[in-house]
Amino acid sequence: MTSATKVFNQTKEKFAMPIKDFWQQRQPRERVMLSCGLAVVLSALVYLLLIDPALSGRMRLQKSLPVLRQQAAELQLLTARAATLSGRTAQLVAPLSKGAIDTALTGKGLMAKSVVMSGDFAKVQLSDVAFAGLLDWLDEVQKTAHWQVADATVTLSAQAGVVNASVTLSQQTHE
């Protein structure tokens, strides 16, 4: 025998003897009562340690499953959207030029008082234009031509809703 087996047998005998003596000293009715009590305690331990955590975990997962499914669907949608966007070729944008600015203004029914090009910037002066039309034009050129407003000065004209504006534009750079 190995030393581990010897140690195990000695420990078993050390604890088994007092338990065996205790059990033999009990009356048959006491043995039945102790057996039933031990069965109840073991059943309670099995339930508390194994069954209850499994059931409560299952209920928790069932409650969170709809949210997780929704998140998975959103993730799939975003993945598909990213795949379609990465497959597209980059759209060519109009470079910042006097002709492109005049075309964009004419498309919105606006007329520039003057357009001055200076390097990568263009200064556009407008007089007596509708404020809503000015905002519309700036929004469109930002989205379509990828121009951004570097500086803007807007003053109210004598008429309601009409303004005089000086706008400095530059080409957006994407890194």
Side-chain angles (χ1 to χ4, degrees), residues 39-84:
V40 168
V41 169
L42 286 176
S43 298
L45 283 175
V46 166
Y47 179 79
L48 290 174
L49 295 176
L50 301 175
I51 296 172
D52 185 48
L55 290 177
S56 62
R58 183 176 179 193
M59 288 184 349
R60 186 180 56 240
L61 289 175
Q62 284 178 342
K63 287 180 183 177
S64 66
L65 192 60
V67 173
L68 294 174
R69 284 186 178 150
Q70 180 183 5
Q71 289 174 347
E74 289 175 5
L75 185 61
Q76 288 175 348
L77 179 67
L78 290 174
T79 303
R81 194 180 215 178
T84 59

Side-chain angles (χ1 to χ4, degrees), residues 135-156:
L135 289 180
D136 231 12
W137 173 69
L138 289 173
D139 185 47
E140 182 180 322
V141 297
Q142 187 270 329
K143 289 179 181 174
T144 59
H146 299 286
W147 299 340
Q148 63 186 6
V149 176
D151 184 42
T153 304
V154 179
T155 57
L156 188 60

Side-chain angles (χ1 to χ4, degrees), residues 105 110-113 124-129 134 137 163-165:
L105 283 168
L110 300 174
M111 181 63 89
K113 186 175 180 181
V124 181
Q125 290 187 339
L126 303 158
S127 61
D128 296 328
V129 296
L134 174 67
W137 173 69
V163 295
N164 296 322

Side-chain angles (χ1 to χ4, degrees), residues 159-173:
Q159 302 169 359
V162 178
V163 295
N164 296 322
S166 174
V167 180
T168 305
L169 299 171
S170 67
Q171 189 78 45
Q172 281 184 354
T173 56

